[in-house]
Every structure is written in C-alpha cells, then in structure tokens.
Amino acid sequence: MDVGGVLLTVGCICVAVTTCTDPLYSEPWLQSVSLNRRIVNNGFHRELVMDVELGEGAHQDCCVMIKEQLPQGLYVDPYELASLREHKREEIFVQNEINIEAPEYLSTAHTIIIYLKPDPKHSGHFTGTAPVHVRYHRPTDTEETTALVTLADPQLMIHCQENSPLVESWKIGVTEAPCSASNPSTCSWLNVNYRNVVETQTLQVPVGQKKDVLAVITATLLMTILCCSLLLRAVWVHGEFEH
C-alpha cells in the first residue's frame, strides 16, 4: 500500500472514531441549536434576555446554561441576584468577586453563569434574563459623548440526567460546572456550538466631558448651598424649640 493509501485509511479511522465519540454527530439535534440575545431597557440599568432553541428531537431531561463574560464596563449586583434566587425568579451564579462601586477604568471583566428555564408551552425552548448594570466611564477630552461596550459571544452548555444514555456517550467537550446556582455540587456539561440570531451585542454609554468639570462643580455647590438654606429655614420657621 502506498503512502496515499495509508493516509486515507488513517483519516477514515479518525473520522469514524470522532463520529462515535462526538455527541454532535451521534445527536443531530445538537447541530441546530440557536441562541438569541438582546439587551432591553435604557439608561444604566439594563436586562440581558436570552432565548435558546434546541434542535428537533431534543431530549426532554436536559438543562441549558449560558456562561457569559461581562466586560469591565458592565456588572451584576450579587445582592440583587441573591434576591432573585430567593424568589425563584432567576438562577444566576457569579464566579468572581464584584465591586459594584468601581468605575469602568478600575474594574475587570467577570464571569456569570445563567441557568435557563424551560418553556412549559414549547418543548426545546429555554429562556433567561440577567439584570446588568453599566459602570461609569472616565470623562473624555474629545467631543465623543458616548462609549461602546461590547459583549463577547458566550459559551452554551447542556446537561442531561446522569443516568441518561446520552451522557454515557459524551466523551469530549465536557466541562464540570455547578449543577445550579443554589447547588454547589458539579455536573457534566457539554459545550455546544450554536447559531447566533444576533451577531453582536453593543451598548452605547454616555460619557462625561472634562471641559464641563468646572460648570458641574459650581452647579453642584450652589444647589447644595440652596438646599441646605431651605432646610435650615424650614427648621427655623416650623421647628419647636424648648425655651
């Protein structure tokens, strides 16, 4: 057998092994997963809404999670997330410590895991919402009044019941991660390729102008003096004093 024949035989063997071990080949529904992300609301307090659609014939006992890396211009409030978990509204796990008071230029990116909820009316459809907040950006010397904050594509992972035959066939692309936001034990999650319905998520953030610093300080100082004067006058006129 010549060299070309040997290489062809080895290639066929590799394809056969990959086909047997890669769940993307053994489970066709994993080849047509789609993710639709959108940012709603305005101002510094937004919501990241996610919809995942599994392919036709998806297993009924599987869960879906999104591993999202938020850039330094965004953050989530751990106390807000704890309240959401307590009221059974959203399951979101934070992997890093977060300083919610720091501005954008003193912050770092951090990772959150969103456990999506299955849609009871639509099999294979999962949804989730993460409240995200915009950090204050450094004032600029230029004429630009906005800065752009871009979200990178997240990881999409799927977990099925441990006794499911599907899990036994997963040999590659598996990550150990928390089973849920309230359950610290780990489960096997499969990294899944997906189709992005919306390619890029970008926010426009208002940015202060350094040339306005003097005007802002002056207006703030005058307003503070005025409010204190009105408060003192109200106390003097309406207050009851002991003689």
Side-chain angles (χ1 to χ4, degrees):
M1 184 181 293
D2 58 9
V3 175
V6 172
L7 293 176
L8 179 61
T9 302
V10 172
C12 292
I13 293 174
C14 292
V15 170
V17 171
T18 302
T19 303
C20 293
T21 58
D22 192 342
L24 295 181
Y25 290 92
S26 61
E27 299 292 333
W29 60 272
L30 288 174
Q31 301 180 42
S32 55
V33 177
S34 65
L35 169 63
N36 183 16
R37 290 190 305 164
R38 60 190 185 277
I39 298 174
V40 299
N41 299 336
N42 298 313
F44 282 80
H45 307 288
R46 312 284 186 97
E47 286 186 343
L48 177 62
V49 181
M50 293 146 287
D51 294 282
V52 171
E53 192 78 35
L54 303 183
E56 186 177 354
H59 290 247
Q60 301 296 319
D61 60 348
C62 294
C63 305
V64 177
M65 81 171 181
I66 300 292
K67 189 174 183 180
E68 188 90 48
Q69 185 175 49
L70 297 182
Q72 62 190 82
L74 295 177
Y75 72 94
V76 292
D77 186 344
Y79 301 102
E80 182 180 15
L81 300 184
S83 177
L84 292 176
R85 286 196 302 270
E86 183 179 351
H87 293 87
K88 308 296 182 184
R89 292 179 56 189
E90 298 293 341
E91 286 278 338
I92 303 174
F93 177 75
V94 181
Q95 288 196 311
N96 315 90
E97 291 187 4
I98 301 174
N99 182 354
I100 64 175
E101 302 293 340
E104 176 266 345
Y105 50 89
L106 295 178
S107 304
T108 57
H110 56 278
T111 302
I112 61 174
I113 296 177
I114 305 109
Y115 297 87
L116 305 189
K117 293 182 178 180
D119 186 346
K121 299 181 180 180
H122 188 180
S123 177
H125 182 222
F126 295 79
T127 62
T129 301
V132 295
H133 308 279
V134 180
R135 294 188 185 274
Y136 289 101
H137 284 56
R138 188 191 299 273
T140 178
D141 291 321
T142 66
E143 296 299 322
E144 294 292 334
T145 58
T146 60
L148 296 181
V149 176
T150 302
L151 281 171
D153 289 340
Q155 287 182 272
L156 192 155
M157 302 185 187
I158 293 178
H159 164 71
C160 297
Q161 298 297 327
E162 295 297 339
N163 57 356
S164 170
L166 178 61
V167 177
E168 298 298 326
S169 68
W170 291 357
K171 303 298 182 183
I172 59 177
V174 174
T175 299
E176 295 297 318
C179 297
S180 70
S182 54
N183 183 2
S185 59
T186 58
C187 295
S188 298
W189 295 82
L190 176 69
N191 291 282
V192 177
N193 294 326
Y194 58 87
R195 178 180 64 87
N196 257 327
V197 176
V198 180
E199 290 298 329
T200 306
Q201 289 293 334
T202 302
L203 295 82
Q204 286 191 331
V205 182
V207 177
Q209 304 286 308
K210 286 187 176 180
K211 63 181 181 181
D212 298 330
V213 169
L214 181 60
V216 171
I217 293 176
T218 303
T220 303
L221 182 60
L222 291 176
M223 186 61 66
T224 302
I225 294 173
L226 175 61
C227 292
C228 290
S229 300
L230 293 175
L231 180 61
L232 289 173
R233 181 179 181 278
V235 171
W236 180 261
V237 172
H238 302 288
E240 296 182 0
F241 303 94
E242 294 182 0
H243 298 284

